Amino acid sequence: MDQSHEFCLVCCEPLSVAAIGSCDHRGTCAVCSVRMRQLLSDQSCILCKRTLEAVIMTANHSKSFEDYSMWGTVCRSGGRELTYDEASQSFFEDEEAYNELVQLRSLSCPKCPPGSREKSGMVNMKEYSAHMTAKHRLVLCQLCVENRKVFVQELEIFTKNELRQHEVSGDKDGGPFKGHPLCEFCNVRVFDDNALWTHLRRQHFSCHICETQRQVTNEFYANYPDLEAHFRNAHCLCEEDECLAQKFIVFASELELRAHCSSVHMSSAPRSRRHVPVPVHITYRRQDDGEEDHRGGYRSRRDAESRNRHGAGAG
């Protein structure tokens, strides 16, 4: 086997049982392959990206995909029928790898002794979580349960204090996970930064003028009254009742606001009230010292005054 594929390209663990498909690439271990296919709905080869309708989990690194006889959900090798896992559309030549997968997906309690009812598995995650709390005073992080793409037995179990630390500061050993971010408006935690940004966009407000014209990003307001106060203080808000009720009628400049008032609010007003003064900034430029006049050459105001005095004396 290629030296670069002695380890799983996903989890970096030794590649003892590999997943092979019609492309014959061996890049992932059995557990990572099933996780990708079942939980992430990704059936592509991690190396060539070909879609693999079925894969075979085998510890035999010399066999190719074509060495197996396959008919639908039946696969044979050496006269033996391989175990089929419907959830991941995978065949297992290695029974130990399949049993490991079944254990990872099971809802059996890892704390109860063998032989107990709970050890044999529960019906769903709700029952599993309730059992952990009632029997062992342990809890699961619901954000991780809902968002992490891992099997049941891969989920961490916490005491209440450990859960609080997990949510606020993340991994105890200084790992990459730094906790679930908090929305300071709602005092609610979300799974990660992407989820926080989506929550803020959907549940709270931002200023479109600041974002488009001032390049201010990721500045949010808890509710519309707070945003309206910002519009009033930083921009030009239309204070007419109908515009206040409609919301978001705000402009970047006084000139835009006056133009809006003239076209929207004055159309039905009496003619005597339709005049809206619009401020126009005018700059006056005079021919000054050192400026070139339109007839060519340079002249200044002092030169003109000097010629006037000489002309008057000659008269």
Side-chain angles (χ1 to χ4, degrees):
M1 189 178 69
D2 192 314
Q3 187 72 17
S4 63
H5 300 160
E6 289 184 358
F7 296 90
C8 173
L9 297 179
V10 177
C11 67
C12 299
E13 293 294 326
L15 197 59
S16 55
V17 178
I20 61 169
S22 56
C23 60
D24 275 334
H25 288 137
R26 287 175 166 82
T28 56
C29 67
V31 173
C32 287
S33 177
V34 172
R35 187 183 292 114
M36 290 171 61
R37 296 174 68 84
Q38 180 183 347
L39 302 182
L40 300 176
S41 300
D42 183 1
Q43 294 187 329
S44 61
C45 170
I46 196 171
L47 291 170
C48 68
K49 309 307 178 187
R50 180 192 298 185
T51 299
L52 306 175
E53 293 184 5
V55 293
I56 299 170
M57 311 301 180
T58 178
N60 190 330
H61 294 171
S62 62
K63 278 187 176 182
S64 69
F65 188 79
E66 294 297 326
D67 292 333
Y68 296 86
S69 302
M70 190 178 301
W71 304 272
T73 60
V74 176
C75 180
R76 292 181 178 275
S77 176
R80 183 172 69 89
E81 185 173 325
L82 275 56
T83 302
Y84 180 66
D85 180 60
E86 185 175 2
S88 62
Q89 294 179 293
S90 305
F91 295 95
F92 283 78
E93 186 174 36
D94 189 289
E95 285 298 319
E96 186 177 340
Y98 179 71
N99 293 334
E100 178 186 352
L101 172 66
V102 170
Q103 177 57 32
L104 284 175
R105 290 192 298 205
S106 73
L107 287 165
S108 61
C109 175
K111 301 295 183 180
C112 287
S116 63
R117 184 185 70 83
E118 294 83 359
K119 196 67 179 179
S120 61
M122 284 157 272
V123 176
N124 51 43
M125 281 299 300
K126 183 177 180 180
E127 183 178 336
Y128 180 81
S129 181
H131 166 78
M132 285 294 177
T133 302
K135 188 75 176 287
H136 306 290
R137 296 186 178 180
L138 297 172
V139 291
L140 297 168
C141 173
Q142 290 304 312
L143 289 172
C144 290
V145 171
E146 294 168 7
N147 295 278
R148 286 191 66 196
K149 301 300 183 181
V150 296
F151 297 118
V152 175
Q153 298 299 324
E154 293 176 315
L155 290 167
E156 289 187 79
I157 305 172
F158 307 95
T159 64
K160 289 186 177 180
N161 288 335
E162 289 172 341
L163 176 62
R164 191 174 299 111
Q165 179 182 342
H166 164 82
E167 292 177 336
V168 174
S169 56
D171 294 332
K172 294 180 290 186
D173 56 358
F177 176 64
K178 303 302 179 184
H180 297 299
L182 174 73
C183 173
E184 297 183 9
F185 296 137
C186 304
N187 198 33
V188 169
R189 293 193 179 275
V190 293
F191 182 63
D192 57 15
D193 289 338
N194 288 336
L196 176 62
W197 189 87
T198 301
H199 166 83
L200 289 168
R201 281 289 179 188
R202 291 178 177 175
Q203 304 298 326
H204 302 291
F205 296 84
S206 61
C207 174
H208 60 281
I209 295 178
C210 288
E211 288 181 340
T212 57
Q213 299 191 17
R214 300 185 180 181
Q215 306 302 312
V216 175
T217 58
N218 298 330
E219 184 173 271
F220 296 94
Y221 299 85
N223 47 47
Y224 185 76
D226 287 354
L227 179 61
E228 185 179 88
H230 165 76
F231 286 157
R232 188 171 287 112
N233 294 331
H235 306 299
C236 300
L237 178 69
C238 181
E239 299 284 2
E240 296 289 338
D241 290 342
E242 59 185 286
C243 285
L244 290 176
Q246 188 175 344
K247 299 180 179 180
F248 295 100
I249 309 301
V250 60
F251 303 90
S253 68
E254 185 71 22
L255 188 62
E256 292 175 310
L257 174 60
R258 288 180 178 272
H260 160 78
C261 291
S262 178
S263 63
V264 175
H265 301 299
M266 290 299 167
S267 59
S268 59
R271 184 176 297 275
S272 59
R273 292 184 53 204
R274 292 185 186 181
H275 174 69
V276 178
V278 177
V280 178
H281 300 286
I282 299 175
T283 301
Y284 293 92
R285 293 188 178 276
R286 294 185 175 86
Q287 202 168 30
D288 210 343
D289 291 346
E291 289 186 343
E292 183 180 6
D293 68 14
H294 296 292
R295 292 169 294 180
Y298 286 88
R299 57 180 296 191
S300 69
R301 191 178 301 161
R302 288 193 297 273
D303 293 337
E305 292 173 352
S306 175
R307 280 195 294 273
N308 290 337
R309 284 197 299 273
H310 289 315

mmCIF file of all heavy atoms in Angstrom, residues 70-111:
data_model
loop_
_atom_site.group_PDB
_atom_site.id
_atom_site.type_symbol
_atom_site.label_atom_id
_atom_site.label_comp_id
_atom_site.label_asym_id
_atom_site.label_seq_id
_atom_site.Cartn_x
_atom_site.Cartn_y
_atom_site.Cartn_z
ATOM 1 N N MET A 70 -20.718 -8.622 -6.355
ATOM 2 C CA MET A 70 -21.754 -7.806 -5.736
ATOM 3 C C MET A 70 -23.012 -7.797 -6.588
ATOM 4 O O MET A 70 -22.968 -7.615 -7.807
ATOM 5 C CB MET A 70 -21.229 -6.369 -5.563
ATOM 6 C CG MET A 70 -22.115 -5.480 -4.727
ATOM 7 S SD MET A 70 -21.379 -3.833 -4.531
ATOM 8 C CE MET A 70 -19.819 -4.237 -3.757
ATOM 9 N N TRP A 71 -24.179 -8.012 -5.943
ATOM 10 C CA TRP A 71 -25.477 -7.925 -6.573
ATOM 11 C C TRP A 71 -26.411 -7.150 -5.633
ATOM 12 O O TRP A 71 -26.901 -7.699 -4.640
ATOM 13 C CB TRP A 71 -26.078 -9.310 -6.824
ATOM 14 C CG TRP A 71 -25.206 -10.216 -7.640
ATOM 15 C CD1 TRP A 71 -25.160 -10.325 -8.995
ATOM 16 C CD2 TRP A 71 -24.259 -11.155 -7.125
ATOM 17 N NE1 TRP A 71 -24.240 -11.273 -9.369
ATOM 18 C CE2 TRP A 71 -23.677 -11.794 -8.247
ATOM 19 C CE3 TRP A 71 -23.827 -11.513 -5.839
ATOM 20 C CZ2 TRP A 71 -22.689 -12.765 -8.116
ATOM 21 C CZ3 TRP A 71 -22.865 -12.476 -5.708
ATOM 22 C CH2 TRP A 71 -22.304 -13.094 -6.845
ATOM 23 N N GLY A 72 -26.626 -5.925 -5.918
ATOM 24 C CA GLY A 72 -27.489 -5.111 -5.065
ATOM 25 C C GLY A 72 -26.937 -4.990 -3.653
ATOM 26 O O GLY A 72 -25.862 -4.443 -3.426
ATOM 27 N N THR A 73 -27.680 -5.566 -2.704
ATOM 28 C CA THR A 73 -27.257 -5.499 -1.297
ATOM 29 C C THR A 73 -26.566 -6.783 -0.850
ATOM 30 O O THR A 73 -26.445 -7.042 0.354
ATOM 31 C CB THR A 73 -28.467 -5.215 -0.383
ATOM 32 O OG1 THR A 73 -29.423 -6.261 -0.542
ATOM 33 C CG2 THR A 73 -29.103 -3.880 -0.715
ATOM 34 N N VAL A 74 -26.122 -7.575 -1.817
ATOM 35 C CA VAL A 74 -25.413 -8.824 -1.501
ATOM 36 C C VAL A 74 -24.007 -8.725 -2.073
ATOM 37 O O VAL A 74 -23.808 -8.362 -3.230
ATOM 38 C CB VAL A 74 -26.135 -10.049 -2.081
ATOM 39 C CG1 VAL A 74 -25.327 -11.316 -1.811
ATOM 40 C CG2 VAL A 74 -27.533 -10.162 -1.501
ATOM 41 N N CYS A 75 -23.028 -9.023 -1.225
ATOM 42 C CA CYS A 75 -21.631 -9.003 -1.654
ATOM 43 C C CYS A 75 -20.950 -10.254 -1.093
ATOM 44 O O CYS A 75 -21.090 -10.570 0.101
ATOM 45 C CB CYS A 75 -20.944 -7.730 -1.156
ATOM 46 S SG CYS A 75 -19.208 -7.594 -1.636
ATOM 47 N N ARG A 76 -20.205 -10.933 -1.954
ATOM 48 C CA ARG A 76 -19.541 -12.166 -1.535
ATOM 49 C C ARG A 76 -18.047 -12.072 -1.809
ATOM 50 O O ARG A 76 -17.604 -11.416 -2.750
ATOM 51 C CB ARG A 76 -20.111 -13.373 -2.255
ATOM 52 C CG ARG A 76 -21.533 -13.707 -1.878
ATOM 53 C CD ARG A 76 -22.039 -14.939 -2.619
ATOM 54 N NE ARG A 76 -23.389 -15.283 -2.214
ATOM 55 C CZ ARG A 76 -23.684 -16.030 -1.155
ATOM 56 N NH1 ARG A 76 -22.697 -16.519 -0.403
ATOM 57 N NH2 ARG A 76 -24.928 -16.306 -0.850
ATOM 58 N N SER A 77 -17.295 -12.765 -0.947
ATOM 59 C CA SER A 77 -15.847 -12.870 -1.139
ATOM 60 C C SER A 77 -15.389 -14.207 -0.578
ATOM 61 O O SER A 77 -15.639 -14.510 0.600
ATOM 62 C CB SER A 77 -15.124 -11.724 -0.414
ATOM 63 O OG SER A 77 -13.727 -11.871 -0.514
ATOM 64 N N GLY A 78 -14.752 -15.015 -1.424
ATOM 65 C CA GLY A 78 -14.274 -16.320 -0.984
ATOM 66 C C GLY A 78 -15.374 -17.218 -0.502
ATOM 67 O O GLY A 78 -15.193 -17.994 0.451
ATOM 68 N N GLY A 79 -16.564 -17.117 -1.116
ATOM 69 C CA GLY A 79 -17.691 -17.960 -0.732
ATOM 70 C C GLY A 79 -18.428 -17.482 0.498
ATOM 71 O O GLY A 79 -19.374 -18.122 0.945
ATOM 72 N N ARG A 80 -18.012 -16.349 1.073
ATOM 73 C CA ARG A 80 -18.664 -15.840 2.289
ATOM 74 C C ARG A 80 -19.404 -14.541 1.971
ATOM 75 O O ARG A 80 -18.903 -13.674 1.259
ATOM 76 C CB ARG A 80 -17.613 -15.583 3.373
ATOM 77 C CG ARG A 80 -18.199 -15.121 4.714
ATOM 78 C CD ARG A 80 -17.114 -15.095 5.774
ATOM 79 N NE ARG A 80 -16.143 -14.046 5.528
ATOM 80 C CZ ARG A 80 -16.256 -12.798 5.995
ATOM 81 N NH1 ARG A 80 -17.319 -12.454 6.711
ATOM 82 N NH2 ARG A 80 -15.313 -11.909 5.758
ATOM 83 N N GLU A 81 -20.613 -14.428 2.522
ATOM 84 C CA GLU A 81 -21.402 -13.217 2.306
ATOM 85 C C GLU A 81 -21.021 -12.166 3.344
ATOM 86 O O GLU A 81 -20.967 -12.449 4.540
ATOM 87 C CB GLU A 81 -22.900 -13.520 2.402
ATOM 88 C CG GLU A 81 -23.783 -12.325 2.066
ATOM 89 C CD GLU A 81 -25.258 -12.694 2.006
ATOM 90 O OE1 GLU A 81 -25.560 -13.832 1.561
ATOM 91 O OE2 GLU A 81 -26.094 -11.867 2.415
ATOM 92 N N LEU A 82 -20.763 -10.963 2.863
ATOM 93 C CA LEU A 82 -20.338 -9.883 3.746
ATOM 94 C C LEU A 82 -21.549 -9.235 4.428
ATOM 95 O O LEU A 82 -22.667 -9.228 3.881
ATOM 96 C CB LEU A 82 -19.569 -8.814 2.960
ATOM 97 C CG LEU A 82 -18.072 -9.041 2.736
ATOM 98 C CD1 LEU A 82 -17.784 -10.369 2.041
ATOM 99 C CD2 LEU A 82 -17.465 -7.887 1.936
ATOM 100 N N THR A 83 -21.336 -8.708 5.614
ATOM 101 C CA THR A 83 -22.406 -8.026 6.361
ATOM 102 C C THR A 83 -22.688 -6.678 5.712
ATOM 103 O O THR A 83 -21.778 -5.895 5.427
ATOM 104 C CB THR A 83 -21.994 -7.813 7.823
ATOM 105 O OG1 THR A 83 -21.684 -9.085 8.409
ATOM 106 C CG2 THR A 83 -23.097 -7.139 8.610
ATOM 107 N N TYR A 84 -23.965 -6.401 5.482
ATOM 108 C CA TYR A 84 -24.362 -5.153 4.820
ATOM 109 C C TYR A 84 -24.924 -4.176 5.839
ATOM 110 O O TYR A 84 -25.776 -4.525 6.659
ATOM 111 C CB TYR A 84 -25.419 -5.438 3.750
ATOM 112 C CG TYR A 84 -25.890 -4.212 3.020
ATOM 113 C CD1 TYR A 84 -25.020 -3.484 2.201
ATOM 114 C CD2 TYR A 84 -27.207 -3.767 3.137
ATOM 115 C CE1 TYR A 84 -25.458 -2.357 1.513
ATOM 116 C CE2 TYR A 84 -27.660 -2.649 2.451
ATOM 117 C CZ TYR A 84 -26.770 -1.937 1.639
ATOM 118 O OH TYR A 84 -27.210 -0.818 0.962
ATOM 119 N N ASP A 85 -24.441 -2.945 5.795
ATOM 120 C CA ASP A 85 -24.944 -1.877 6.663
ATOM 121 C C ASP A 85 -25.763 -0.925 5.799
ATOM 122 O O ASP A 85 -25.214 -0.157 4.996
ATOM 123 C CB ASP A 85 -23.793 -1.134 7.330
ATOM 124 C CG ASP A 85 -24.284 -0.018 8.236
ATOM 125 O OD1 ASP A 85 -25.028 -0.307 9.195
ATOM 126 O OD2 ASP A 85 -23.929 1.153 7.980
ATOM 127 N N GLU A 86 -27.068 -0.974 5.965
ATOM 128 C CA GLU A 86 -27.961 -0.205 5.093
ATOM 129 C C GLU A 86 -27.811 1.302 5.284
ATOM 130 O O GLU A 86 -27.883 2.073 4.323
ATOM 131 C CB GLU A 86 -29.419 -0.622 5.350
ATOM 132 C CG GLU A 86 -30.406 0.048 4.410
ATOM 133 C CD GLU A 86 -31.824 -0.463 4.609
ATOM 134 O OE1 GLU A 86 -32.030 -1.310 5.501
ATOM 135 O OE2 GLU A 86 -32.722 -0.006 3.884
ATOM 136 N N ALA A 87 -27.609 1.761 6.524
ATOM 137 C CA ALA A 87 -27.539 3.199 6.788
ATOM 138 C C ALA A 87 -26.412 3.879 6.009
ATOM 139 O O ALA A 87 -26.540 5.035 5.590
ATOM 140 C CB ALA A 87 -27.361 3.442 8.285
ATOM 141 N N SER A 88 -25.311 3.183 5.818
ATOM 142 C CA SER A 88 -24.170 3.776 5.117
ATOM 143 C C SER A 88 -23.919 3.146 3.747
ATOM 144 O O SER A 88 -22.989 3.553 3.051
ATOM 145 C CB SER A 88 -22.904 3.623 5.961
ATOM 146 O OG SER A 88 -22.596 2.253 6.155
ATOM 147 N N GLN A 89 -24.749 2.171 3.381
ATOM 148 C CA GLN A 89 -24.576 1.447 2.114
ATOM 149 C C GLN A 89 -23.144 0.913 2.008
ATOM 150 O O GLN A 89 -22.439 1.153 1.033
ATOM 151 C CB GLN A 89 -24.912 2.348 0.922
ATOM 152 C CG GLN A 89 -26.383 2.757 0.869
ATOM 153 C CD GLN A 89 -26.689 3.657 -0.305
ATOM 154 O OE1 GLN A 89 -26.227 4.790 -0.367
ATOM 155 N NE2 GLN A 89 -27.468 3.144 -1.250
ATOM 156 N N SER A 90 -22.757 0.167 3.055
ATOM 157 C CA SER A 90 -21.393 -0.364 3.140
ATOM 158 C C SER A 90 -21.435 -1.860 3.447
ATOM 159 O O SER A 90 -22.324 -2.341 4.161
ATOM 160 C CB SER A 90 -20.609 0.353 4.249
ATOM 161 O OG SER A 90 -20.622 1.750 4.051
ATOM 162 N N PHE A 91 -20.451 -2.567 2.925
ATOM 163 C CA PHE A 91 -20.281 -3.990 3.218
ATOM 164 C C PHE A 91 -19.058 -4.161 4.120
ATOM 165 O O PHE A 91 -18.033 -3.511 3.909
ATOM 166 C CB PHE A 91 -20.074 -4.777 1.926
ATOM 167 C CG PHE A 91 -21.247 -4.760 1.010
ATOM 168 C CD1 PHE A 91 -21.328 -3.831 -0.017
ATOM 169 C CD2 PHE A 91 -22.283 -5.676 1.160
ATOM 170 C CE1 PHE A 91 -22.417 -3.819 -0.878
ATOM 171 C CE2 PHE A 91 -23.376 -5.673 0.301
ATOM 172 C CZ PHE A 91 -23.450 -4.728 -0.715
ATOM 173 N N PHE A 92 -19.180 -5.039 5.106
ATOM 174 C CA PHE A 92 -18.101 -5.270 6.055
ATOM 175 C C PHE A 92 -17.551 -6.678 5.890
ATOM 176 O O PHE A 92 -18.249 -7.667 6.148
ATOM 177 C CB PHE A 92 -18.582 -5.058 7.493
ATOM 178 C CG PHE A 92 -18.714 -3.609 7.879
ATOM 179 C CD1 PHE A 92 -19.815 -2.869 7.457
ATOM 180 C CD2 PHE A 92 -17.739 -2.988 8.641
ATOM 181 C CE1 PHE A 92 -19.938 -1.541 7.808
ATOM 182 C CE2 PHE A 92 -17.860 -1.651 8.993
ATOM 183 C CZ PHE A 92 -18.961 -0.915 8.570
ATOM 184 N N GLU A 93 -16.297 -6.776 5.450
ATOM 185 C CA GLU A 93 -15.613 -8.053 5.424
ATOM 186 C C GLU A 93 -15.034 -8.358 6.799
ATOM 187 O O GLU A 93 -14.883 -9.504 7.185
ATOM 188 C CB GLU A 93 -14.499 -8.037 4.373
ATOM 189 C CG GLU A 93 -13.836 -9.386 4.175
ATOM 190 C CD GLU A 93 -12.846 -9.377 3.021
ATOM 191 O OE1 GLU A 93 -12.171 -8.345 2.816
ATOM 192 O OE2 GLU A 93 -12.741 -10.409 2.330
ATOM 193 N N ASP A 94 -14.760 -7.290 7.557
ATOM 194 C CA ASP A 94 -14.197 -7.434 8.895
ATOM 195 C C ASP A 94 -15.318 -7.293 9.923
ATOM 196 O O ASP A 94 -15.854 -6.197 10.141
ATOM 197 C CB ASP A 94 -13.119 -6.362 9.116
ATOM 198 C CG ASP A 94 -12.327 -6.574 10.387
ATOM 199 O OD1 ASP A 94 -12.894 -6.361 11.473
ATOM 200 O OD2 ASP A 94 -11.142 -6.952 10.290
ATOM 201 N N GLU A 95 -15.688 -8.392 10.560
ATOM 202 C CA GLU A 95 -16.800 -8.392 11.514
ATOM 203 C C GLU A 95 -16.489 -7.567 12.756
ATOM 204 O O GLU A 95 -17.377 -6.940 13.346
ATOM 205 C CB GLU A 95 -17.144 -9.827 11.910
ATOM 206 C CG GLU A 95 -17.880 -10.601 10.845
ATOM 207 C CD GLU A 95 -19.229 -9.986 10.501
ATOM 208 O OE1 GLU A 95 -19.936 -9.539 11.435
ATOM 209 O OE2 GLU A 95 -19.572 -9.942 9.311
ATOM 210 N N GLU A 96 -15.246 -7.547 13.167
ATOM 211 C CA GLU A 96 -14.874 -6.765 14.351
ATOM 212 C C GLU A 96 -15.112 -5.278 14.105
ATOM 213 O O GLU A 96 -15.587 -4.561 14.984
ATOM 214 C CB GLU A 96 -13.402 -7.018 14.693
ATOM 215 C CG GLU A 96 -12.970 -6.354 15.996
ATOM 216 C CD GLU A 96 -11.530 -6.675 16.361
ATOM 217 O OE1 GLU A 96 -10.991 -7.681 15.855
ATOM 218 O OE2 GLU A 96 -10.948 -5.918 17.166
ATOM 219 N N ALA A 97 -14.804 -4.810 12.907
ATOM 220 C CA ALA A 97 -15.043 -3.410 12.564
ATOM 221 C C ALA A 97 -16.537 -3.106 12.554
ATOM 222 O O ALA A 97 -16.968 -2.035 12.990
ATOM 223 C CB ALA A 97 -14.425 -3.083 11.205
ATOM 224 N N TYR A 98 -17.343 -4.050 12.071
ATOM 225 C CA TYR A 98 -18.792 -3.841 12.055
ATOM 226 C C TYR A 98 -19.349 -3.784 13.475
ATOM 227 O O TYR A 98 -20.197 -2.928 13.783
ATOM 228 C CB TYR A 98 -19.482 -4.954 11.266
ATOM 229 C CG TYR A 98 -20.991 -4.811 11.237
ATOM 230 C CD1 TYR A 98 -21.597 -3.807 10.501
ATOM 231 C CD2 TYR A 98 -21.798 -5.684 11.980
ATOM 232 C CE1 TYR A 98 -22.980 -3.665 10.492
ATOM 233 C CE2 TYR A 98 -23.173 -5.552 11.978
ATOM 234 C CZ TYR A 98 -23.762 -4.533 11.226
ATOM 235 O OH TYR A 98 -25.129 -4.390 11.223
ATOM 236 N N ASN A 99 -18.901 -4.672 14.348
ATOM 237 C CA ASN A 99 -19.372 -4.663 15.744
ATOM 238 C C ASN A 99 -18.987 -3.372 16.451
ATOM 239 O O ASN A 99 -19.749 -2.847 17.275
ATOM 240 C CB ASN A 99 -18.801 -5.875 16.488
ATOM 241 C CG ASN A 99 -19.360 -7.191 15.981
ATOM 242 O OD1 ASN A 99 -20.472 -7.242 15.447
ATOM 243 N ND2 ASN A 99 -18.598 -8.265 16.118
ATOM 244 N N GLU A 100 -17.813 -2.853 16.135
ATOM 245 C CA GLU A 100 -17.389 -1.566 16.712
ATOM 246 C C GLU A 100 -18.318 -0.455 16.260
ATOM 247 O O GLU A 100 -18.709 0.410 17.055
ATOM 248 C CB GLU A 100 -15.959 -1.256 16.274
ATOM 249 C CG GLU A 100 -15.442 0.086 16.783
ATOM 250 C CD GLU A 100 -14.074 0.443 16.226
ATOM 251 O OE1 GLU A 100 -13.445 -0.411 15.564
ATOM 252 O OE2 GLU A 100 -13.633 1.589 16.432
ATOM 253 N N LEU A 101 -18.706 -0.475 15.002
ATOM 254 C CA LEU A 101 -19.624 0.533 14.482
ATOM 255 C C LEU A 101 -20.993 0.439 15.153
ATOM 256 O O LEU A 101 -21.584 1.456 15.543
ATOM 257 C CB LEU A 101 -19.770 0.362 12.966
ATOM 258 C CG LEU A 101 -20.843 1.222 12.296
ATOM 259 C CD1 LEU A 101 -20.490 2.695 12.393
ATOM 260 C CD2 LEU A 101 -21.038 0.804 10.851
ATOM 261 N N VAL A 102 -21.497 -0.788 15.303
ATOM 262 C CA VAL A 102 -22.796 -0.979 15.953
ATOM 263 C C VAL A 102 -22.770 -0.427 17.372
ATOM 264 O O VAL A 102 -23.716 0.236 17.821
ATOM 265 C CB VAL A 102 -23.171 -2.476 15.961
ATOM 266 C CG1 VAL A 102 -24.399 -2.726 16.844
ATOM 267 C CG2 VAL A 102 -23.430 -2.966 14.544
ATOM 268 N N GLN A 103 -21.678 -0.643 18.098
ATOM 269 C CA GLN A 103 -21.556 -0.132 19.460
ATOM 270 C C GLN A 103 -21.529 1.393 19.480
ATOM 271 O O GLN A 103 -22.153 2.032 20.336
ATOM 272 C CB GLN A 103 -20.283 -0.695 20.107
ATOM 273 C CG GLN A 103 -20.008 -0.181 21.513
ATOM 274 C CD GLN A 103 -21.149 -0.454 22.482
ATOM 275 O OE1 GLN A 103 -21.853 -1.457 22.364
ATOM 276 N NE2 GLN A 103 -21.335 0.445 23.437
ATOM 277 N N LEU A 104 -20.822 2.009 18.530
ATOM 278 C CA LEU A 104 -20.745 3.477 18.478
ATOM 279 C C LEU A 104 -22.110 4.107 18.237
ATOM 280 O O LEU A 104 -22.406 5.188 18.737
ATOM 281 C CB LEU A 104 -19.778 3.912 17.370
ATOM 282 C CG LEU A 104 -18.288 3.785 17.654
ATOM 283 C CD1 LEU A 104 -17.482 4.132 16.410
ATOM 284 C CD2 LEU A 104 -17.879 4.685 18.819
ATOM 285 N N ARG A 105 -22.957 3.423 17.470
ATOM 286 C CA ARG A 105 -24.268 3.989 17.130
ATOM 287 C C ARG A 105 -25.343 3.634 18.145
ATOM 288 O O ARG A 105 -26.449 4.167 18.097
ATOM 289 C CB ARG A 105 -24.705 3.487 15.751
ATOM 290 C CG ARG A 105 -23.882 4.070 14.625
ATOM 291 C CD ARG A 105 -24.506 3.810 13.275
ATOM 292 N NE ARG A 105 -24.617 2.401 12.941
ATOM 293 C CZ ARG A 105 -24.666 1.930 11.689
ATOM 294 N NH1 ARG A 105 -24.612 2.769 10.671
ATOM 295 N NH2 ARG A 105 -24.773 0.643 11.457
ATOM 296 N N SER A 106 -25.050 2.749 19.077
ATOM 297 C CA SER A 106 -26.088 2.256 19.986
ATOM 298 C C SER A 106 -26.451 3.297 21.042
ATOM 299 O O SER A 106 -25.663 4.175 21.396
ATOM 300 C CB SER A 106 -25.617 0.978 20.677
ATOM 301 O OG SER A 106 -24.633 1.273 21.651
ATOM 302 N N LEU A 107 -27.689 3.181 21.544
ATOM 303 C CA LEU A 107 -28.170 4.049 22.618
ATOM 304 C C LEU A 107 -28.033 3.374 23.974
ATOM 305 O O LEU A 107 -28.800 3.630 24.892
ATOM 306 C CB LEU A 107 -29.637 4.415 22.353
ATOM 307 C CG LEU A 107 -29.875 5.423 21.220
ATOM 308 C CD1 LEU A 107 -31.338 5.433 20.815
ATOM 309 C CD2 LEU A 107 -29.429 6.809 21.630
ATOM 310 N N SER A 108 -27.062 2.497 24.117
ATOM 311 C CA SER A 108 -26.838 1.829 25.398
ATOM 312 C C SER A 108 -26.067 2.748 26.335
ATOM 313 O O SER A 108 -25.235 3.542 25.907
ATOM 314 C CB SER A 108 -26.067 0.529 25.186
ATOM 315 O OG SER A 108 -24.804 0.802 24.602
ATOM 316 N N CYS A 109 -26.364 2.649 27.621
ATOM 317 C CA CYS A 109 -25.726 3.511 28.615
ATOM 318 C C CYS A 109 -24.298 3.030 28.889
ATOM 319 O O CYS A 109 -24.088 1.869 29.269
ATOM 320 C CB CYS A 109 -26.537 3.498 29.912
ATOM 321 S SG CYS A 109 -25.736 4.445 31.242
ATOM 322 N N PRO A 110 -23.311 3.899 28.730
ATOM 323 C CA PRO A 110 -21.926 3.484 28.976
ATOM 324 C C PRO A 110 -21.601 3.355 30.463
ATOM 325 O O PRO A 110 -20.548 2.835 30.820
ATOM 326 C CB PRO A 110 -21.121 4.614 28.332
ATOM 327 C CG PRO A 110 -22.008 5.803 28.403
ATOM 328 C CD PRO A 110 -23.406 5.305 28.244
ATOM 329 N N LYS A 111 -22.511 3.802 31.335
ATOM 330 C CA LYS A 111 -22.240 3.779 32.773
ATOM 331 C C LYS A 111 -22.888 2.593 33.476
ATOM 332 O O LYS A 111 -22.440 2.196 34.558
ATOM 333 C CB LYS A 111 -22.758 5.080 33.416
ATOM 334 C CG LYS A 111 -22.145 6.355 32.854
ATOM 335 C CD LYS A 111 -20.668 6.442 33.150
ATOM 336 C CE LYS A 111 -20.073 7.759 32.634
ATOM 337 N NZ LYS A 111 -18.617 7.835 32.927
#
